[in-house]
Amino acid sequence: MSTPPSLHALIAALKTLPGIGPKSAQRMAFHLMQRDQKGAADLATALNNALGKLKHCSLCNTFAEVDLCDVCSDEKRQHNLLCVVEMPTDLMMLEQTLAFHGLYFVLMGRLSPLDGIGPNDIALQRLLERASDGVVEEVILATNFTTEGEATAHYLAEMLRARGLKVSRIARGMPVGGELEHVDAGTLAQAMLERRSV
Amino acid sequence: MSTPPSLHALIAALKTLPGIGPKSAQRMAFHLMQRDQKGAADLATALNNALGKLKHCSLCNTFAEVDLCDVCSDEKRQHNLLCVVEMPTDLMMLEQTLAFHGLYFVLMGRLSPLDGIGPNDIALQRLLERASDGVVEEVILATNFTTEGEATAHYLAEMLRARGLKVSRIARGMPVGGELEHVDAGTLAQAMLERRSV
Ligand SMILES: [Zn+2]
Ligand SMILES: [Zn+2]
């Protein structure tokens, strides 16, 4: 009893999705073919549609279907502030805070030598060009505070400072509403080290 | 900052996959569009290909691209023994034990009132017709030993016995609550050998 070729190929294709193992891929394939053929057709259409339409904003590098995304084409933003984030989700999170009115640059990744993601695999060169446009005065590094995000920020800071740009990093410390008792020791230590006069 | 429509649609389509939440769907969409466009194209092709080619074996109801699957078209099998399983995976698991040489019937599911899967949603009517062909002498119920699999077996046993068929259940060599897919071949072979009339 062999699996039909088209089913085998579908399971193999699903298995390449991040976080999907052989068992999950098989379960998904059976589900789609047995209980949700419309879902399968919709997913195929959505994939082809996204492949055809999605590109990157020419200024900030986030996903967009147009040349210039909503944020970059908003003339009321502060064009002298450039905030660097890893992914489009991070940009959206910051937008929700309403605390930043400058522009963004989305790396679409982070330096991760273990995963084979080096400086050429994220949009580093484009960031350097973008930040050197003569209008940007300060680059705010808002990569994650993970090991990889920190290493990326460190690397970017050196390259940007070498070009004479002012570089800053979003602050580390206690979460708003956070209790000392429930915060990890590393965060608390950092909050202590980075204490400010009040 | 709004998500581009084609990206939003892709995330929504991925979210309908079983076991995939909003965060995973977003991560998958970003991964496919940023790092694996070939994977995205391959998945779309595999989905459309499977939708176009996959159907059900006219005799045993498992997935097949041809009218009669490998097992059903094998004349050396014992045509008087019919083993009922929930899914094609279960059929494959039983084939690997080499302990059964009859034919199969794949329900493509199990009775699951909580999920809205009733007798009309699994291939019950087809099973009754299949088992009443005058050749089948014994129907071996090999649904899972989960609550739903047991309930399905119980329901099938009543209907099949009412038609004068001998009905058996693979032995409870299986761990209670266990699924065929996760059991070793030896245990499964034993369960097949020790099947009892019900
Ligand atoms: Zn933009
Ligand atoms: Zn068949």
Side-chain angles (χ1 to χ4, degrees):
Chain A
M1 178 64 197
S2 53
T3 310
S6 60
L7 182 59
H8 188 266
L10 176 57
I11 294 170
L14 288 166
K15 216 158 46 182
T16 70
L17 292 171
I20 301 302
K23 291 273 176 195
S24 301
Q26 192 178 59
R27 189 165 6 101
M28 281 177 184
F30 286 177
H31 173 83
L32 288 170
M33 291 303 121
Q34 186 63 25
R35 305 232 171 272
D36 195 13
Q37 298 214 351
K38 186 182 175 302
D42 288 351
L43 177 55
T45 303
L47 284 162
N48 286 325
N49 202 31
L51 283 169
K53 288 189 182 163
L54 267 195
K55 46 186 188 175
H56 295 277
C57 170
S58 61
L59 210 54
C60 75
N61 198 40
T62 195
F63 285 123
E65 292 180 5
V66 288
D67 185 53
L68 221 54
C69 77
D70 296 355
V71 175
C72 290
S73 51
D74 182 351
E75 296 189 0
K76 292 193 295 292
R77 313 278 309 200
Q78 293 170 262
H79 283 57
N80 57 336
L81 290 181
L82 188 69
C83 177
V84 179
V85 294
E86 296 180 16
M87 295 299 288
T89 353
D90 304 327
L91 187 163
M92 290 180 231
M93 293 300 290
L94 279 166
E95 281 298 282
Q96 280 170 33
T97 68
L98 304 174
F100 179 68
H101 306 287
L103 296 179
Y104 294 93
F105 189 86
V106 182
L107 293 170
M108 286 290 177
R110 65 213 63 83
L111 294 178
S112 178
L114 289 179
D115 301 320
I117 301 177
N120 292 331
D121 300 303
I122 57 177
L124 222 142
Q125 197 52 46
R126 278 189 56 199
L127 166 61
L128 294 179
E129 284 162 24
R130 173 71 187 86
S132 312
D133 70 348
V135 178
V136 172
E137 289 169 2
E138 179 181 352
V139 179
I140 303 164
L141 301 174
T143 54
N144 288 322
F145 282 88
T146 56
T147 312
E148 293 167 350
E150 288 276 54
T152 305
H154 186 78
Y155 187 88
L156 293 180
E158 287 203 354
M159 303 206 67
L160 292 161
R161 269 196 305 255
R163 274 159 182 77
L165 286 154
K166 184 183 172 192
V167 183
S168 59
R169 180 89 168 104
I170 54 170
R172 269 173 307 197
M174 293 285 299
V176 171
E179 295 172 302
L180 265 66
E181 194 182 333
H182 299 120
V183 126
D184 68 279
T187 302
L188 194 51
Q190 208 60 41
M192 179 58 75
L193 284 171
E194 295 185 12
R195 66 188 180 275
R196 304 187 313 165
S197 295
V198 288
Chain B
M1 177 66 196
S2 53
T3 309
S6 60
L7 181 60
H8 188 266
L10 176 57
I11 294 170
L14 287 165
K15 217 158 44 183
T16 70
L17 292 171
I20 302 301
K23 290 272 176 197
S24 300
Q26 193 178 59
R27 188 165 7 100
M28 281 177 185
F30 286 177
H31 172 82
L32 288 170
M33 291 303 121
Q34 185 63 24
R35 305 230 173 273
D36 195 12
Q37 298 214 352
K38 186 182 175 301
D42 287 352
L43 178 54
T45 304
L47 285 162
N48 285 326
N49 202 30
L51 284 168
K53 288 187 181 165
L54 269 195
K55 47 187 188 175
H56 295 277
C57 170
S58 61
L59 210 54
C60 76
N61 197 40
T62 194
F63 285 124
E65 293 180 5
V66 288
D67 184 55
L68 220 56
C69 77
D70 294 356
V71 175
C72 289
S73 51
D74 182 351
E75 295 189 359
K76 293 192 296 292
R77 312 279 309 201
Q78 293 171 263
H79 284 58
N80 57 338
L81 290 181
L82 188 68
C83 176
V84 179
V85 294
E86 296 180 16
M87 295 299 289
T89 352
D90 304 328
L91 187 163
M92 290 179 231
M93 292 300 290
L94 279 165
E95 281 299 281
Q96 280 169 34
T97 68
L98 304 175
F100 179 69
H101 307 287
L103 296 178
Y104 293 93
F105 190 87
V106 183
L107 293 170
M108 287 290 177
R110 65 214 64 81
L111 294 178
S112 179
L114 289 179
D115 301 320
I117 301 177
N120 293 331
D121 301 302
I122 58 177
L124 222 143
Q125 197 53 45
R126 278 189 56 200
L127 166 60
L128 294 179
E129 283 162 24
R130 172 72 186 87
S132 313
D133 71 347
V135 178
V136 172
E137 290 169 1
E138 177 181 353
V139 179
I140 303 163
L141 301 174
T143 54
N144 287 322
F145 281 84
T146 56
T147 312
E148 293 168 350
E150 288 276 52
T152 305
H154 186 78
Y155 187 88
L156 294 180
E158 287 203 352
M159 303 206 68
L160 291 161
R161 268 196 307 254
R163 274 161 182 77
L165 285 153
K166 183 183 172 193
V167 183
S168 59
R169 180 90 168 104
I170 56 169
R172 210 182 275 274
M174 306 259 308
V176 172
E179 295 174 316
L180 263 69
E181 199 178 326
H182 299 120
V183 122
D184 68 283
T187 306
L188 195 51
Q190 204 59 39
M192 175 58 74
L193 287 171
E194 291 183 2
R195 67 186 185 271
R196 306 184 311 169
S197 290
V198 289

